[in-house]
Amino acid sequence: MIILVSNDDGIHSEGIRALEEALAKLGEVYTVAPDREQNAVSHSLTLHRPLRIEEVGPRRFAVNGTPTDCVNLAVKGFLPVRPQLVVSGINSTANLGDDVIYSGTVSAAIEGSLLGIPSIAVSLVSRGPVYHFGPAADFAAVLAAEVITQGMPPDTLLNVNVPNLPREEIKGYLLTRQGKRRYGEKIEARVDPRGKKYYWIGGDDLGFDPTEGTDCVAVHEGFISVTPLHVDLTNYRSLQELRGLRLPWP
Ligand code: MN
C-alpha cells in the first residue's frame, strides 16, 4: 500500500509530519510536497519554468512548485509505484465553504482525484498559535483506512475539516455539504519606501451562513466535517432554468 502525502504549507510544516506519522501505520508513505508555503495557489500547474525535486529525507521529496505540480509529478512517474491513495494536509487553517476554490491543500487532493486515485484533503480549523494536529491526524488515518478497504465513489474526493480542539472536546464527525463563508471586501492600500502604491489582499473573517448541514456549521458545533467534493462546477439548477432561453442566432 503506497500512500502519497502532499500539502500546501510546505514540506517542513508541522501538519504534514503529523499526517505522515499517522498514515505510516497503514502503508508506505511517500511525501512529495512544495519546498515552501503555497497557500491559496489553487490548482496552479507550473508550465513555464523547470521543476526540481530534492530528496530531503527517506521517501520525502521537496518540489519547487505547487501542490498540483507535486501530485502530478509523483503520480505520473516520479514515484517508483503508483500510489493507491493521496492525502493532502494537514493544513494549518480551515478550508470551508468557498475556501476550497482557492485552496492549495484541496487542489492537491483534486489532482489525485483527476488522476483517478482516491484522495482526501485534511485541514485544521485554527488561527493558531495552538495547533491540535493529533486528533486531525488520527481521524485522517481512520478515514484513509476506510477508503483503502471500501474505495471511494467515482469522481469524488473528501474534504475534511477538523476543529482545533483537544480530542475529548471533538463531538464526532458529520457528512456535510459545502457552506458559505463571509469575508470582508476591504483591501489594504499602502505606500512603499519608494513612494509607489501597493496592495494587500485578505478580507476579515465575518463568519458564515448558518445553514444546517454545512461544513461551516458542523465545525462550529465541534464536529469534524467530511464533505464529498467533485470537480464538475456545472450549476444544474441554472441549466434547467436556462433551457427556455431563446437567443437570436441565424
Ligand atoms: Mn496552507
Side-chain angles (χ1 to χ4, degrees):
M1 171 59 55
I2 304 289
I3 302 170
L4 172 63
V5 165
S6 195
N7 75 350
D8 79 353
D9 288 345
I11 195 153
H12 302 297
S13 69
E14 193 185 340
I16 204 168
R17 288 288 196 176
L19 187 60
E20 288 167 359
E21 273 174 39
L23 295 176
K25 296 162 207 150
L26 305 177
E28 194 166 32
V29 175
Y30 281 82
T31 300
V32 183
D35 62 1
R36 68 199 70 186
E37 277 198 18
Q38 293 283 332
N39 292 320
V41 299
S42 188
H43 210 81
S44 165
L45 193 61
T46 303
L47 298 178
H48 300 289
R49 63 175 177 82
L51 290 168
R52 313 272 182 195
I53 305 181
E54 188 193 352
E55 189 168 4
V56 294
R59 300 196 305 274
R60 302 190 86 236
F61 301 90
V63 181
N64 63 340
T66 67
T68 300
D69 294 333
C70 293
V71 174
N72 192 289
L73 286 169
V75 172
K76 287 186 176 170
F78 175 72
L79 291 188
V81 235
R82 191 177 168 87
Q84 282 120 301
L85 179 72
V86 174
V87 189
S88 176
I90 300 167
N91 197 50
S92 61
T93 57
N95 277 306
L96 297 163
D98 301 336
D99 295 346
V100 301
I101 212 81
Y102 299 97
S103 170
T105 307
V106 175
S107 277
I110 289 176
E111 186 66 3
S113 168
L114 288 174
L115 294 167
I117 301 170
S119 299
I120 305 170
V122 188
S123 306
L124 193 65
V125 185
S126 172
R127 291 200 192 98
V130 178
Y131 297 95
H132 296 283
F133 284 115
D138 291 346
F139 184 76
V142 167
L143 189 60
E146 180 70 13
V147 169
I148 288 164
T149 53
Q150 301 299 321
M152 190 109 88
D155 299 326
T156 305
L157 61 126
L158 299 177
N159 183 34
V160 179
N161 281 275
V162 182
N164 187 33
L165 297 170
R167 189 178 313 265
E168 60 278 9
E169 289 175 37
I170 295 177
K171 291 182 184 160
Y173 78 93
L174 293 173
L175 271 178
T176 59
R177 60 193 173 84
Q178 205 182 319
K180 191 93 187 154
R181 283 185 89 169
R182 297 201 195 97
Y183 288 109
E185 292 192 353
K186 206 177 72 170
I187 55 163
E188 198 69 42
R190 298 185 191 177
V191 179
D192 75 15
R194 296 196 176 90
K196 288 187 86 172
K197 259 191 170 182
Y198 69 95
Y199 299 89
W200 206 254
I201 293 176
D204 295 333
D205 186 352
L206 302 179
F208 53 88
D209 181 331
T211 306
E212 281 298 323
T214 58
D215 51 3
C216 301
V217 170
V219 161
H220 180 72
E221 291 175 350
F223 291 91
I224 295 170
S225 162
V226 181
T227 313
L229 299 179
H230 65 169
V231 186
D232 181 354
L233 296 179
T234 309
N235 186 331
Y236 288 94
R237 212 179 321 151
S238 297
L239 192 61
Q240 285 303 326
E241 284 172 22
L242 294 172
R243 287 224 191 272
L245 199 63
R246 293 286 176 269
L247 296 173
W249 191 252

